[in-house]
Amino acid sequence: MAERSIDRAALFLLKKAAREGVETAWDRFEKQQPQCGFGQLGICCRNCNMGPCRIDPFGDGPQEGVCGATADTIAARNLLRMIAAGAAAHSDHGRDIITTVYAAACGEAQGYEIKDEEKLRALASEYGISWEGRSKEEVARELARAVMEEFGMVKGSVQFVKRAPEKRRAVWEKAGVLPRGIDREIVESMHRTHMGVDNDYVNLVLHGVRTSLSDGWGGSMVATEFSDVLFGTPQPVRGKSNLGVLKEDQVNIVLHGHEPTLSEMIALAAKDEELLALAREKGATGINVCGMCCTGNELLMRHGIPVAGNFLQQELAVITGAVEAMVVDIQCIMPALTKVAQCYHTKIISTSPKARFADALHIQFEEHNALEIAKKIVRVAVENFPNRKPSLVQIPEEEVEYVAGFSVEAILKALGGSLDPLLDAIKTGKIKGIVGIVGCNNPKHTHDHGHLNLTRELIKNDVLVVETGCAAIACAKAGLLLPEAAAEAGPGLRAVCESLEIPPVLHMGSCVDISRILVVAAAVANALGVDISDLPVAGAAPEWMSEKAVSIGTYVVGSGIFTVLGTVPPILGSKNLVELLTKGAQEVLGAVFAVEEDPFKAAILILDHLTAKRKALGLD
Amino acid sequence: MELKGGAGVKEVFIDISRCVGCKSCEIACAVAHSESRSLFGAIAEKVPPRKRIFVHAVDSSKVPINCRHCEEARCVAVCPTGAMFRDEQSGTILHDPERCLGCGFCEIACPFGVITRLPERKIVAKCDRCPDRQVPACVEACPTNALLYLTPQDAQKVKRQRVVAQFVAS
């Protein structure tokens, strides 16, 4: 394999890790080579105990499992289970947020309040809940109950589906993929993939689309909207990124995972005078709270809190030897962290009852006394400061500024209150199109190489890029989230960015915040009176690895947006399934997947797609 | 004539106790004998590549089996065209597809059943011990070290050492 990363801070710490004999994901990836061919092709089935069964990919061995399932059935069932797991992760995150909204509105969540009343009003009216003569808490309680009901369901289809253009809803109705309830589709996915239920790969994929839509226009959108209600809707904010944000003379706390709920309180607790005094007593000059992955994104979107890095940098943060505590909640937290931490003084503190780790310190988060728990966690970190081993401390110097916080509301504000300037720029061709680049890191590719090269190629060609998740952190570290990065954009996009004083790459939040991108796409389509699938837009996940990314990719295609995957999904063992997802879906959904591992070639695929869509709309 | 397995010539040995029956060796073998030499490329090739190693199960035991490259190779003896031949330098039994009639006498003669057909080309094929690789693909792919690439001398030595260790321990 080529270089492990193009991030100098990462390379610096990988060398340190090698010197100190500490293994990272890259080493473990090498030890896993070669990886199982049946797994890579998606043609092993463990869904019943007559198996496990495998299909011979080259045709001279068994072509059916014990039950008679073919490669098509097995690969499609496996794909559906990946979608279901991804949708479950996002949607359960959404459930926790709405539960906290309810508790806050009942006065049972210490430290939480309804911060964005304007958003609460807008959401209440969307749900047909009257505001007249009632307190915001009363309204929030009724709204939260109505949203909670969407998980089990009730009334036809998920509420936020109505945000999609009418033409798109018609597509969904015709295909039979309107999501009927957030949990329901996930449960049905598990039912259908049980032995002897759904065996038709087309029918399985259609339900995969429905399940993913219950995530994108359901669980994820709930997570985004109600995080805004609780913690405020993001507005442009400056901050710093990469491992250089760790401070040698301060207590460093890294908040890693996905939820904003506890981390907001820890950010607050770190300003507590008593704890700051304790930190000084222990020899530190302050308490430095940093984010990592999507917990980091949630914090930087709202507060400009420094972000230490993306997915593949979690172990590297510990390897600096300068992290007193890494506080984790849920999702994308490597179980290896506790083992790496044993080589340093870092305490890995787990906080969710859903996600426990061998050898971690568990301090369980409870919303009714969240601030107390947050203070307890910060205290553990502060008290750990004297345990640092100075000989093992090496913090890379890389520290790059970013501007984040581009919620839909913030984008509208930057445009002067209406979409018109953006629509005009698209119509005149100053902006060729809009592309969402999202997703993880994956040691199968050089870290950040896919994200940065695809982003650069697109902005160079006058494509406005919107990002979330680890892709956005990659661009933050490369300085692409600064208005000054407009200098790297083509002349059309550059002019637009300079006049609006925005970066050419807009950070829209965490991975659940891809729902914000859907809202923008729907708004643009509605303004032009077309379907989302008619727009010059595309999606890309250059370095994806998680099941959540599979759900995301599917709801993005399901929403009518051409999507390019940068790592090969485990479906190639079924030619029919590949054909359906890369060609057949066009007729049903107006969009397809493509797979291209080379970001430069992916850029060409996307630019060609945008050109074709512009032509069909009569632009150019 | 020097026997095969002279100093430094390695062969594929099997440790049956370690085989979990994952068939990774079968896939790796087919891919190593494909046009593209990559899994994702091989899956798309018009003529599917064929494996030359086979994992079989007897009761709860799993056994990978491939060409033993016999000293007195019957497949070579019966081949009417010389397509099947011994490469003295590597100690391997190789097969020249250009000279193969597809008569199948080698399949009859082989006591292990490890000669396979390429139906699309109407000829046979067998293990060539991956001459352009440092380590045969099947050995490299084995996640449990059930397949070992050793000289016969080393393979025997490993066993002797194991037995000796047992003696000492008891």
Side-chain angles (χ1 to χ4, degrees):
Chain A
M1 203 188 105
E3 279 271 45
R4 289 181 164 188
S5 176
I6 55 170
D7 178 329
R8 284 168 54 198
L11 291 172
F12 172 85
L13 286 164
L14 280 168
K15 275 191 203 137
K16 181 175 190 283
R19 274 199 309 276
E20 288 163 7
V22 178
E23 258 192 10
T24 64
W26 284 275
D27 302 306
R28 295 188 297 271
F29 178 76
E30 266 175 27
K31 286 189 178 171
Q32 282 295 331
Q33 301 311 307
Q35 286 169 306
C36 170
F38 297 100
Q40 288 183 78
L41 298 174
I43 45 176
C44 48
C45 178
R46 292 182 298 118
N47 294 12
C48 87
N49 206 26
M50 293 192 292
C53 295
R54 286 151 302 176
I55 304 303
D56 188 306
F58 302 122
D60 52 357
Q63 296 302 295
E64 290 173 349
V66 177
C67 70
T70 59
D72 295 340
T73 303
I74 292 173
R77 283 199 303 221
N78 290 345
L79 178 68
L80 180 52
R81 283 203 168 185
M82 290 183 87
I83 293 170
H90 285 144
S91 297
D92 209 34
H93 170 170
R95 187 200 324 271
D96 284 351
I97 299 291
I98 198 67
T99 305
T100 306
V101 169
Y102 186 76
C106 295
E108 288 166 7
Q110 180 196 27
Y112 299 98
E113 52 176 341
I114 307 298
K115 259 207 192 121
D116 191 338
E117 197 174 318
E118 203 180 318
K119 190 138 199 175
L120 180 70
R121 273 176 189 274
L123 288 164
S125 91
E126 214 174 332
Y127 273 80
I129 291 167
S130 151
W131 192 276
E132 291 304 309
R134 306 166 78 192
S135 72
K136 67 177 178 183
E137 283 75 20
E138 264 179 281
V139 174
R141 281 198 296 273
E142 188 181 339
L143 179 58
R145 274 197 303 269
V147 173
M148 286 172 184
E149 276 186 11
E150 304 234 301
F151 283 81
M153 200 43 93
V154 275
K155 50 165 200 203
S157 64
V158 172
Q159 176 69 34
F160 288 141
V161 162
K162 295 200 174 69
R163 292 178 169 188
E166 215 176 302
K167 286 181 177 168
R168 182 59 13 194
R169 293 205 304 273
V171 167
W172 291 338
E173 252 170 79
K174 193 174 164 215
V177 298
L178 259 181
R180 299 158 297 179
I182 297 169
D183 287 349
R184 175 175 176 180
E185 307 306 357
I186 297 165
V187 169
E188 191 171 313
S189 291
M190 298 311 286
H191 178 190
R192 286 190 190 218
T193 53
H194 183 275
M195 188 271 145
V197 185
D198 202 353
N199 301 299
D200 179 85
Y201 73 96
V202 179
N203 209 39
L204 284 159
V205 167
L206 281 172
H207 186 67
V209 172
R210 175 154 55 184
T211 304
S212 72
L213 291 173
S214 85
D215 168 1
W217 299 84
S220 279
M221 213 169 263
V222 165
T224 297
E225 297 292 22
F226 288 92
S227 293
D228 287 355
V229 167
L230 266 186
F231 306 116
T233 302
Q235 292 298 325
V237 60
R238 264 181 193 261
K240 287 181 175 166
S241 65
N242 216 343
L243 291 155
V245 301
L246 298 171
K247 297 282 167 264
E248 195 153 356
D249 56 353
Q250 296 195 23
V251 174
N252 290 306
I253 301 176
V254 177
L255 306 175
H256 173 27
H258 279 76
E259 289 182 340
T261 327
L262 174 62
S263 49
E264 284 271 341
M265 288 301 136
I266 291 179
L268 201 62
K271 292 178 185 156
D272 182 84
E273 278 309 324
E274 200 183 315
L275 288 166
L276 283 166
L278 182 66
R280 283 190 292 274
E281 194 182 300
K282 299 284 177 191
T285 63
I287 302 171
N288 180 34
V289 174
C290 308
M292 168 87 37
C293 288
C294 278
T295 293
N297 282 324
E298 296 278 356
L299 290 168
L300 72 83
M301 285 289 281
R302 297 193 176 89
H303 307 291
I305 282 177
V307 62
N310 50 8
F311 175 69
L312 274 177
Q313 287 174 293
Q314 55 186 289
E315 294 170 285
L316 303 181
V318 176
I319 290 166
T320 62
V323 174
E324 275 56 53
M326 183 173 275
V327 185
V328 302
D329 49 49
I330 47 155
Q331 298 170 19
C332 302
I333 303 148
M334 291 192 193
L337 278 175
T338 48
K339 194 173 161 197
V340 175
Q342 280 165 8
C343 305
Y344 304 91
H345 75 303
T346 307
K347 289 211 187 303
I348 306 294
I349 304 176
S350 57
T351 58
S352 166
K354 295 174 197 167
R356 302 205 46 168
F357 299 77
D359 302 321
L361 174 63
H362 188 72
I363 303 179
Q364 194 150 311
F365 168 62
E366 285 152 5
E367 61 204 6
H368 64 86
N369 61 346
L371 193 56
E372 287 313 310
I373 290 167
K375 283 183 188 171
K376 188 173 163 190
I377 289 171
V378 173
R379 182 178 292 274
V380 169
V382 171
E383 284 173 349
N384 195 26
F385 184 77
N387 296 328
R388 234 193 234 186
K389 298 166 194 151
S391 63
L392 291 180
V393 175
Q394 264 185 314
I395 301 170
E397 59 189 26
E398 280 73 18
E399 185 183 25
V400 180
E401 264 204 296
Y402 64 78
V403 175
F406 289 95
S407 58
V408 179
E409 292 82 348
I411 292 174
L412 274 172
K413 203 168 151 193
L415 292 170
S418 110
L419 276 178
D420 292 344
L422 178 64
L423 298 177
D424 287 343
I426 293 173
K427 285 180 191 163
T428 58
K430 277 187 165 178
I431 292 178
K432 293 274 187 311
I434 307 175
V435 173
I437 301 179
V438 304
C440 334
N441 297 135
N442 187 326
K444 286 181 177 172
H445 288 330
T446 301
H447 170 233
D448 288 350
H449 177 269
H451 293 316
L452 296 187
N453 286 303
L454 181 58
T455 303
R456 286 204 162 102
E457 286 301 300
L458 292 176
I459 63 171
K460 206 162 76 185
N461 285 284
D462 293 317
V463 175
L464 177 67
V465 174
V466 293
E467 297 196 343
T468 64
C470 287
I473 297 174
C475 285
K477 293 184 293 169
L480 290 169
L481 302 188
L482 291 168
E484 299 89 283
E488 290 198 44
L493 176 61
R494 180 177 181 166
V496 173
C497 290
E498 284 173 351
S499 77
L500 298 172
E501 292 171 6
I502 57 168
V505 183
L506 303 180
H507 190 334
M508 293 189 72
S510 64
C511 45
V512 292
D513 291 338
I514 294 167
S515 62
R516 298 190 202 273
I517 302 178
L518 294 180
V519 171
V520 172
V524 173
N526 282 332
L528 295 173
V530 298
D531 190 357
I532 296 173
S533 57
D534 298 321
L535 298 175
V537 300
E543 301 177 28
W544 76 274
M545 62 87 202
S546 77
E547 289 169 313
K548 290 181 290 174
V550 182
S551 177
I552 293 166
T554 311
Y555 74 62
V556 171
V557 169
S559 301
I561 301 171
F562 172 62
T563 297
V564 182
L565 303 177
T567 66
V568 183
I571 59 165
L572 264 53
S574 162
K575 289 195 173 64
N576 286 329
L577 185 57
V578 172
E579 185 79 9
L580 176 65
L581 296 172
T582 58
K583 294 199 181 86
Q586 186 67 40
E587 238 174 87
V588 187
L589 300 169
V592 292
F593 282 100
V595 177
E596 178 51 67
E597 296 188 276
D598 179 336
F600 297 96
K601 289 182 187 159
I604 293 169
L605 278 181
I606 289 171
L607 291 168
D608 287 349
H609 170 78
L610 299 180
T611 305
K613 289 293 173 187
R614 294 184 63 86
K615 208 169 166 191
L617 278 175
L619 307 172
D620 297 338
Chain B
M1 188 187 82
E2 197 186 347
L3 284 182
K4 75 158 181 165
V9 175
K10 293 180 180 177
E11 299 178 18
V12 176
F13 285 90
I14 303 162
D15 183 347
I16 294 169
S17 67
R18 300 187 70 104
C19 178
V20 295
C22 74
K23 301 193 178 199
S24 295
C25 53
E26 290 188 356
I27 287 200
C29 176
V31 171
H33 294 91
S34 70
E35 289 288 322
S36 63
R37 307 281 176 103
S38 81
L39 176 67
F40 297 150
I43 194 83
E45 283 169 22
K46 278 216 176 71
V47 177
R50 299 288 175 203
K51 65 193 177 200
R52 295 106 199 266
I53 185 165
F54 309 86
V55 180
H56 284 271
V58 182
D59 299 328
S60 62
S61 295
K62 287 117 181 176
V63 186
I65 180 162
N66 65 346
C67 175
R68 301 311 310 153
H69 299 274
C70 310
E71 301 284 5
E72 299 288 344
R74 292 188 194 164
C75 57
V76 174
V78 299
C79 181
T81 64
M84 205 64 89
F85 66 100
R86 166 184 300 283
D87 178 61
E88 296 300 345
Q89 211 180 351
S90 63
T92 49
I93 306 297
L94 295 178
H95 174 253
D96 178 358
E98 297 302 319
R99 301 173 78 168
C100 180
L101 297 176
C103 67
F105 266 123
C106 53
E107 292 171 291
I108 295 169
C110 175
F112 306 107
V114 291
I115 291 170
T116 190
R117 286 269 172 140
L118 301 182
E120 297 82 1
R121 297 180 60 188
K122 300 184 174 172
I123 55 172
V124 301
K126 64 177 288 300
C127 168
D128 56 4
R129 224 186 261 158
C130 294
D132 48 357
R133 301 172 65 106
Q134 291 270 320
V135 176
C138 56
V139 177
E140 194 177 279
C142 180
T144 60
N145 292 331
L147 294 173
L148 305 161
Y149 193 47
L150 298 169
T151 61
Q153 292 81 355
D154 280 347
Q156 295 304 305
K157 190 171 153 194
V158 167
K159 287 192 198 178
R160 287 197 299 272
Q161 283 170 332
R162 210 179 288 160
V163 171
V164 169
Q166 271 173 4
F167 280 148
V168 174
S170 61

